[in-house]
Amino acid sequence: MKRPIGVIDSGVGGLTVAHEMMRQLPNETLIYLGDTLRCPYGSRSEQEIIQFTNEMVDFLLKKNIKMLVIACNTATAYTLENLRKTLPIPVLGVIKPGARAAIKMTVSNSIGVIGTEATIKSNAYEKALKNIKPEIEVQSLPCPLFVPMVESGILSGRKAEEIVRESLAPFIKQKNMDTLVLGCTHYPLLKETIQSVTGDDIKIISSSDETAREASAILEVHELLRADDDKTDHMFYTTGELDVFERITRELFKTTVHDIQKVNIHQINNSI
Amino acid sequence: MKRPIGVIDSGVGGLTVAHEMMRQLPNETLIYLGDTLRCPYGSRSEQEIIQFTNEMVDFLLKKNIKMLVIACNTATAYTLENLRKTLPIPVLGVIKPGARAAIKMTVSNSIGVIGTEATIKSNAYEKALKNIKPEIEVQSLPCPLFVPMVESGILSGRKAEEIVRESLAPFIKQKNMDTLVLGCTHYPLLKETIQSVTGDDIKIISSSDETAREASAILEVHELLRADDDKTDHMFYTTGELDVFERITRELFKTTVHDIQKVNIHQINNSI
């Protein structure tokens, strides 16, 4: 099945999901679309989030994708259920893969979740966790500084550690908590710094890594895996400027990505 | 969705999968069937394995199961693809969940697989791993003593460690290998002993734990998760004697399981 996999995000965070998919599924071709122009979605109305996400989906459906990965927590919370019902291809979000991995990992049944203010307010992780295992205790904490940190390239070093330590201070006292979910696709870029602050007793779950793992499972169940027959050729699209996009891809992929194009999905959507 | 989940195995090994499902999916009800009478399947012909598995499936379909988990490596290798095509419910095996978890875990791309002689001979793990990620290097090793050890209750202590150390000797020299897949559902009962022999630098993947995790994902995608509305009531069936079955459930569940019934699925199948 040579058709590509579509990956959408409100901006650059979903690149951590794309990167893990490229690592775990090296035969597959990805088409990534980041709506950097209208990012962040966290402060948008529900109607806007749904409209913008639909515009991204329309753009990718025209590229003949075989599966859609919503690599954005906010868009997952507001659009996953409906897209799963209406699209003719499998659709995967980032919240439940992280929740399932945390349930598998925890022994104490006490799980911490960090994310943007919008994600923490939506209670999406808590609902997903308790829906599967009601006795799980969930402590949630918004970390509003982490996305701007990542987008400015502050990933490690003394300054990064200071901000992470201050942000996570309410969690360090939770002695029972043994598992921490990175509930934002930007946060895996801070994973080492976060781990150095929490110490090794707390296991960190990256919802990006777990989403890539479940994408692999879903491709197999739907018999959509690509055979190893030719070179993959990923494409990256952004609705905004290229600078942050280029910086994050360089950091993640350890190489310069040339196949980045700026697109206007709003116009494209109107021209249908 | 109050219908139970069916779990089948040639004997008691699949109880490690059932145990993890009970832990990760505490709202769900399981019906477990172990064909202890005709165990092990590893030395049976393909035709026998298919016939015996079909008899187990028929027994469970009458119990109105909503999903089938083939918690046996041999049965997975020989029957998964066909059952997935013919049954009207989702079907999950144990091989690919372990393979996907290993691909997610490995950094060196060098993975070890241990299993029964039949499983190692089938090359099922190597095929599953290379199908997803061709550059993975796979070292496979049959450990024929591990199943009899587990069934005799030798799980830890000096004798267990000696046998595990001798069995794994060819692997200890593989310096590049960073991930070891327990490719037999009996082996998670030896996990601590195996980890003490390999050291902490090798990450151990239990295909039982990973299968439970993917069962959770598949229930969610198919909208089959059970709401948290009443107490679950698992049932265990075996075609053979109860003694090993009772010993393993006591070891795993840390309590005596009373709901074990001996059944004759061959007769039941004939009476259709």
Side-chain angles (χ1 to χ4, degrees), chain B residues 106-124:
Chain B
T106 185
V107 176
S108 68
N109 282 338
S110 176
I111 293 173
V113 179
I114 55 176
T116 63
E117 296 200 68
T119 300
I120 298 303
K121 257 190 206 161
S122 79
N123 264 330

Side-chain angles (χ1 to χ4, degrees), chain A residues 23-27 84 96 100-101 103-104 106 131-134 209-210 213-214 216-217 220 228, chain B residues 23-27 84 96-97 100-101 103-104 106 131-134 209-210 213-214 216-217 220 228:
Chain A
R23 198 180 70 79
Q24 294 182 38
L25 291 162
N27 288 348
R84 196 169 263 168
K96 287 175 181 168
R100 283 188 279 267
I103 287 172
K104 171 173 170 282
T106 186
N131 183 38
I132 302 172
K133 192 164 185 177
D209 299 5
E210 302 302 334
R213 151 86 187 276
E214 291 202 7
S216 178
E220 190 251 321
D228 170 31
Chain B
R23 197 181 70 79
Q24 293 182 40
L25 291 162
N27 288 349
R84 196 169 264 168
K96 286 175 182 169
R100 282 187 280 267
I103 287 172
K104 171 172 170 282
T106 185
N131 184 38
I132 303 173
K133 192 165 184 176
D209 299 5
E210 302 302 334
R213 150 86 187 276
E214 291 202 6
S216 178
E220 189 252 320
D228 170 31

